[in-house]
């Protein structure tokens, strides 16, 4: 295209996801511990069909599920979702309102709309280290700077350091550019970490003290994918320290059920912000597939969704255990470390002695050569972060494949040491 | 929210669609000639279920249709769509490539991505008069200026005037800001007009002469909704005069089949532009519902889509005739004028003597009071356009309702004259 089209955000570096996907496509023999895909064998095809058939049979077949829906999303579904967050947060009924909920094409679209409505190019969003790497791509695309949150060794934000950081930003005047804090709060992608109640309260408290109008984007995409008891920490919506902060809580009906349906949701405590996001959604697509929303609404209503989710939790627990044990003693003996996660889809491991496992490292190249793919951890840090981490997903492979993938990974780990 | 959040494009005026929808919701007794919704009674619920059941039965139930898909969209579907455009353009096989096709959440998302990748705030896009009003909202949201194309009385762009306009823009240096021409080329929303072959060639010729790197966005959303023979004019993709212009052709599988599935597609002749749109789509949702794509792919493959489309064409033809005749002689005698469209979902009528039918006019208010809603034509013009037009949609109402709606409209037209 002509040179005049070069513009902010348009000269994109090739996206990291695109590079990983290209690797995967070129070598179909590669076992994929990289993709955040969901378990294939348990995808609820019969359940979805049975719901769709039910919907079609009733009322002589209500065809309107194939009609356009509204921009904000089906009111019945929004009602169910506000109650669902209420329940997860142990709040009394009617604490949350369906009018604050909106539906989107996966929670990804909500993250995009959030940044698009909050930020101008040059603005800043504070992010955990590590953080969800597609969110970093969103920021890059919109010309927004990700600023690292100070972290503690246990994976929580260092609240005291955060206070000092905000003070420093106030002194320099930069605070005006800081538009939000982005938190991945349950079984995070990539770290598997869940934010502790103290850290969560502390962040809210410090933001309130700073009184700088910094919004909070809480990404709870994996909240429902706990392996045993749910994490008992409330969302920011239910924590008093956030009362004066605009909070956007996002999650998805995709990963806990059927990713191919691509439906996510947001709960926004700030009506003005919500309206801005809806206004742009109106321009981007004026509403998410009404058919898919109707299927999920019914699945949530009649319990099919939750029955499936129960089995999915057990399934992912099993798969996590399988990967964890297959790497097990041997990788540990080589000096690799990782924590066993309580939920989510990922094991986040650290190489011994800071050995480079980044995109262009020998280790990464050798893994690809040896037929196993992972997400290089450096993609998940905002600014020249450490490149000695790997994200290993146990979502899409079956148990035999996970064992084989772990074996291939181990082979490389034994060969390449610092 | 705090004042620091006020930013370009964020202080949105309440969207026109939102106002119309609010009117509709507050008064469910209103007959809606405004909504561009599709015919409810003929929505192919049984067809969609039968396709989904087929997909599930085969290969022991291929669950992967419920897995995430790729960002660009299913390759099988893209293959079918490139051939489909080929056929409509009467081009030999393999003239078009599936690798230039991408799938989105309705063609609306493609329009949004097109503008987002081409324009900075302050840039200009040339638009027909009238034009698709949600496109004008996209431009407003992204801070882009819609500049009116010079039009002839027959609804085509005035090519000679366009040449002069481009010359003037070159002289003033403004041409650098002109990033695209937006054309709604078949049975346009709102006018029902299809661009003639001469005008289409002429526009391409003048753009080529100008050599200013102006891209072409051709919105063919209604192309398949012809009532009898298809319009024989090729898309810009097939017209030589556009060979040096980046062309994005967009259409939808939504309106000609099941709007609730929300799947549109684009064909982009320029690989760099395509990559930029895909890069941003990767950030917005990294792919459109794979399940819905799989249903449409199969429906197109096994002919269910086209069998349904045949009956839909007849159905809309009937509904158009019904509205046309119900307004008929009486409205004509009052001095209103309109052309009977050959396709699409709209009758575009002009009031006598320039009488105001705009959003805040007495005529509009009286229609709402009298239980009938239309889209005020002024929404479809870029700059203080005439407000003596109305867009009447025959998409969603059944024949009885159309007659009653026309009757209510007539009542007001008889009462309010200039």
């Amino acid at each position: 295209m002509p040179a005049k089209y070069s513009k902010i955000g348009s000269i994109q570096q090739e996206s990291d996801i695109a590079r990983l996907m290209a690797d995967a496509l070129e070598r179909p023999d590669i076992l994929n511990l990289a993709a955040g895909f969901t378990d294939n064998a348990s995808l609820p095809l019969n359940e979805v069909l049975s719901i769709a058939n039910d919907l079609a049979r009733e009322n002589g077949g209500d065809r309107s599920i194939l009609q356009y829906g509204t921009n904000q999303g089906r009111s019945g579904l929004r009602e169910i979702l506000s109650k669902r967050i209420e329940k997860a947060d142990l709040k009394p009924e009617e604490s949350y309102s369906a009018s604050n909920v909106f539906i989107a094409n996966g929670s990804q679209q909500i993250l995009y709309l959030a940044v698009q409505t909050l930020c101008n190019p040059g603005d800043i969003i504070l992010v955990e280290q590590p953080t969800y790497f597609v969110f970093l791509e969103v920021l890059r695309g919109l010309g927004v700077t990700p600023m690292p949150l100070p972290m503690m060794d246990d994976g929580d934000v260092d609240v005291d350091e955060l206070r000092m950081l905000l003070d420093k930003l106030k002194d320099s005047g930069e605070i005006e550019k800081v538009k939000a804090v982005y938190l991945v709060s349950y079984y995070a992608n990539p770290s598997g970490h869940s934010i502790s109640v103290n850290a969560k309260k502390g962040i809210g408290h410090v933001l309130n003290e700073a009184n700088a109008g910094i919004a909070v984007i809480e990404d709870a995409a994996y909240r429902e994918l706990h392996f045993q008891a749910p994490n008992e920490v409330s969302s920011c919506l239910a924590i008093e320290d956030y009362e004066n902060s605009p909070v956007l809580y996002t999650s998805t009906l995709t990963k806990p059920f059927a990713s191919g349906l691509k439906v996510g949701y947001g709960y926004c405590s700030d009506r003005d912000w919500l309206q801005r996001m809806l206004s742009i959604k109106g321009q981007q697509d004026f509403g998410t597939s009404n058919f898919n929303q109707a299927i999920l609404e019914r699945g949530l209503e009649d319990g099919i969704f939750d029955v499936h989710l129960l089995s999915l939790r057990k399934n992912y627990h099993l798969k996590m255990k399988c990967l964890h044990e297959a790497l097990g003693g041997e990788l540990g003996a080589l000096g690799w470390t990782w924590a066993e996660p309580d939920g989510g889809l990922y094991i986040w491991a650290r190489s011994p002695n800071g050995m480079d496992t980044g995109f262009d490292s020998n280790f990464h190249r050798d893994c690809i050569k040896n037929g196993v793919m992972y997400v290089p951890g450096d993609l998940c840090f905002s600014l020249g972060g450490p490149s000695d981490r790997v994200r290993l997903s146990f979502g899409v492979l079956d148990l035999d494949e996970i064992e084989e993938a772990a074996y291939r990974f181990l082979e490389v780990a034994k060969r390449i040491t610092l």
Side-chain angles (χ1 to χ4, degrees), chain A:
Chain A
M1 295 191 80
K4 75 169 179 175
Y5 287 104
S6 64
K7 56 181 283 286
I8 290 166
S10 71
I11 307 177
Q12 309 266 346
Q13 72 174 77
E14 194 190 2
S15 102
D16 301 322
I17 282 196
R19 286 175 69 190
L20 286 168
M21 282 178 64
D23 283 344
L25 285 171
E26 275 165 29
R27 291 273 314 274
D29 58 309
I30 288 185
L31 289 173
N32 199 328
L33 292 174
F37 279 24
T38 47
D39 184 63
N40 239 332
S42 62
L43 284 166
L45 189 54
N46 292 331
E47 289 84 342
V48 166
L49 283 175
S50 128
I51 294 170
N53 287 323
D54 279 356
L55 285 171
R57 254 196 315 272
E58 287 159 24
N59 313 319
D62 179 3
R63 294 167 188 267
S64 73
I65 59 175
L66 286 181
Q67 184 59 272
Y68 286 111
T70 60
N71 187 40
Q72 186 164 0
R74 290 174 75 85
S75 59
L77 180 58
R78 291 190 287 109
E79 199 70 54
I80 290 169
L81 290 171
S82 68
K83 288 199 199 327
R84 197 167 175 93
I85 315 172
E86 236 161 52
K87 210 173 144 197
D89 279 350
L90 306 173
K91 295 280 284 183
E93 275 187 37
E94 300 189 21
S95 301
Y96 299 151
S97 160
S99 62
N100 293 66
V101 178
F102 71 113
I103 310 294
N105 309 316
S107 57
Q108 184 65 37
Q109 190 188 25
I110 295 182
L111 297 178
Y112 195 87
L113 291 169
V115 178
Q116 215 183 354
T117 46
L118 291 177
C119 297
N120 282 316
D123 280 342
I124 292 166
I125 289 188
L126 296 164
V127 297
E128 292 165 291
Q129 303 288 289
T131 191
Y132 173 41
F133 67 99
V134 184
F135 188 75
L136 293 175
E137 289 189 12
V138 168
L139 298 184
R140 200 185 298 145
L142 290 168
V144 176
T145 303
M147 183 177 278
L149 283 160
M151 306 299 293
M152 301 205 296
D153 285 343
D154 64 5
D156 270 336
V157 170
D158 187 324
V159 174
D160 292 329
E161 290 275 345
L162 174 59
R163 182 183 287 110
M164 287 188 272
L165 173 64
L166 292 177
D167 284 344
K168 226 178 64 186
L169 289 166
K170 273 191 176 172
D171 291 345
S172 70
E174 271 188 296
I175 196 94
E176 280 302 302
K177 287 181 173 289
V178 180
K179 297 298 165 68
V181 173
Y182 173 66
L183 302 171
V184 188
S185 48
Y186 302 94
Y187 323 114
N189 177 0
S191 67
H193 176 76
S194 299
I195 302 178
S196 74
V197 63
N198 285 337
K200 218 170 198 176
K201 284 184 177 171
I203 296 167
H205 186 74
V206 166
L207 290 175
N208 193 35
E209 263 180 12
N211 192 24
I214 296 172
V216 176
I217 303 169
E218 177 171 17
D219 181 344
Y222 297 89
R223 186 176 192 181
E224 306 226 42
L225 284 179
H226 45 83
F227 298 145
Q228 291 173 297
N231 184 293
E232 62 197 2
V233 181
S234 294
S235 78
C236 297
L237 296 170
I239 294 176
E240 276 183 19
D241 305 87
Y242 290 88
E243 265 178 16
N244 300 318
S245 301
V247 174
L248 171 66
Y249 172 91
T250 74
S251 195
T252 175
L253 297 170
T254 279
K255 288 197 191 278
F257 191 62
S259 27
L261 294 179
K262 199 81 191 169
V263 175
Y265 59 99
Y267 188 102
C268 187
S269 71
D270 186 287
R271 290 297 175 104
D272 179 31
W273 186 12
L274 175 63
Q275 281 313 316
R276 289 184 199 183
M277 289 189 282
L278 287 175
S279 167
I280 298 192
K281 179 154 173 74
Q283 295 158 18
Q284 282 180 1
D285 55 34
F286 52 79
T288 290
S289 166
N290 191 33
F291 182 62
N292 300 11
Q293 288 185 60
I295 288 174
L296 286 160
E297 180 178 332
R298 171 56 62 93
L300 285 160
E301 244 166 29
D302 65 12
I304 290 185
F305 184 98
D306 284 313
V307 167
H308 180 73
L309 182 52
L310 274 178
S311 74
L312 206 58
R313 283 173 186 147
K314 284 185 196 151
N315 188 17
Y316 283 134
H317 192 188
L318 206 66
K319 291 173 89 169
M320 184 279 290
K321 281 280 184 200
C322 172
L323 178 59
H324 174 67
E325 280 159 22
L327 297 171
E330 285 201 83
L331 197 65
L334 293 167
W336 288 72
T337 52
W338 66 94
E340 206 181 324
D342 303 320
L345 294 179
Y346 312 105
I347 283 181
W348 178 242
R350 183 172 188 170
S351 73
N353 306 315
M355 184 181 72
D356 189 4
T357 58
F359 226 113
D360 298 314
S361 67
N362 288 334
F363 189 87
H364 187 234
R365 267 195 292 269
D366 268 35
C367 277
I368 302 273
K369 250 188 256 169
N370 207 38
V372 62
M373 213 165 108
Y374 63 84
V375 171
D378 49 347
L379 301 184
C380 309
F381 292 94
S382 57
L383 273 177
S387 62
D388 61 346
R389 317 290 165 97
V390 299
R391 189 194 81 172
L392 305 173
S393 167
F394 45 83
V396 70
L397 301 182
D398 66 28
L399 294 174
D400 287 347
E401 291 169 331
I402 288 177
E403 281 189 356
E404 172 63 22
Y407 178 76
R408 293 181 188 178
F409 187 87
L410 261 171
E411 281 186 321
V412 179
K414 282 179 197 162
R415 211 157 53 217
I416 303 193
T417 52
L418 200 68

